């Protein structure tokens, strides 16, 4: 039976994603729909398309 060697992660995607979701939830928790739309528009990431 072979043993598997475990490699330590240098970057944990799930941990980072959860932290980002929690930050956004705190920032937007008492916003109404219009405020939330403005928040999303202000904080959106531009998509870069390569030709």
């Amino acid at each position: 039976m072979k043993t598997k060697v475990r490699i330590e992660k240098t970057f944990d995607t799930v941990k980072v994603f959860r932290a980002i979701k929690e930050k956004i939830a705190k920032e937007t928790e008492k916003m109404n729909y219009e405020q939330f739309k403005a928040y999303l528009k202000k904080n959106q990431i531009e998509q870069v398309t390569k030709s």
Side-chain angles (χ1 to χ4, degrees):
M1 183 176 223
K2 294 184 179 182
T3 59
K4 293 184 180 180
V5 176
R6 222 173 208 192
I7 300 171
E8 289 293 321
K9 294 181 185 178
T10 57
F11 182 78
D12 189 353
T13 306
V14 174
K15 187 176 181 181
V16 171
F17 187 70
R18 285 183 182 153
I20 292 169
K21 283 181 18 179
E22 288 174 6
K23 177 182 175 265
I24 292 170
K26 284 181 183 177
E27 290 176 353
T28 61
E29 77 180 324
K30 295 189 180 186
M31 290 184 180
N32 63 26
Y33 180 70
E34 293 300 321
Q35 292 170 326
F36 187 67
K37 276 180 37 177
Y39 173 86
L40 290 176
K41 188 172 184 177
K42 177 184 163 205
N43 293 301
Q44 78 181 22
I45 298 173
E46 292 183 27
Q47 291 182 345
V48 178
T49 56
K50 294 182 180 180
S51 300

